[in-house]
Amino acid sequence: MKIVKLVLFTLFGLMFINAGLDKFLHYMPVPPLEPEVVKAGEAFMTITWLMPLVGAVELLAGLLFIFPKTRFLGALMIFPVMVGIMLHNAVYMPSGLAIAGVFFLINLWVFYENKEKIKGIVI
């Protein structure tokens, strides 16, 4: 089980490191998108500070997620981004829900493993 966790959490972290870097370096090709998705993306781009902020959060949270001592902090940081990804996929790209759902569950898994820390934050 330890190996499975190591692999899943490392892949999760690397995926967000990659997504964060792409927000700055724009090296991943963009597939053809529906006009509605393009329109939403253009709206986000009008807020000039938003994508660099999301990229920085993805990059930092991805790094934190890889290491066990900082994983919970990384999970907390990336959670709002994950909610946005889930909502975006639910509304605009349902075909991506399966992959986004798996990553969302991995994020929730870290919360479950740290439920005592969450109690300390909430209560």
Side-chain angles (χ1 to χ4, degrees):
M1 185 60 141
K2 238 180 175 180
I3 298 293
V4 171
K5 285 171 53 173
L6 175 70
V7 169
L8 285 177
F9 295 158
T10 302
L11 288 175
F12 184 98
L14 290 173
M15 193 274 300
F16 277 103
I17 291 168
N18 181 54
L21 285 174
D22 186 61
K23 302 254 184 332
F24 296 105
L25 304 175
H26 309 290
Y27 56 86
M28 291 193 302
V30 179
L33 301 170
E34 298 292 323
E36 202 173 40
V37 176
V38 172
K39 192 174 179 182
E42 288 170 350
F44 284 129
M45 293 303 197
T46 62
I47 308 168
T48 56
W49 53 266
L50 184 60
M51 285 301 120
L53 175 63
V54 172
V57 168
E58 288 175 341
L59 185 57
L60 181 57
L63 284 168
L64 292 170
F65 206 94
I66 291 173
F67 303 103
K69 285 189 176 198
T70 58
R71 186 168 294 137
F72 179 60
L73 179 57
L76 282 174
M77 288 178 65
I78 207 64
F79 187 71
V81 176
M82 279 302 315
V83 169
I85 291 168
M86 291 295 291
L87 290 171
H88 177 81
N89 278 285
V91 173
Y92 297 114
M93 301 170 67
S95 61
L97 268 174
I99 293 172
V102 169
F103 280 100
F104 191 72
L105 289 174
I106 291 170
N107 203 112
L108 292 178
W109 182 2
V110 173
F111 286 163
Y112 179 76
E113 286 189 338
N114 291 278
K115 58 185 171 264
E116 290 304 315
K117 291 179 185 175
I118 292 172
K119 286 179 186 174
I121 293 171
V122 176
I123 297 174

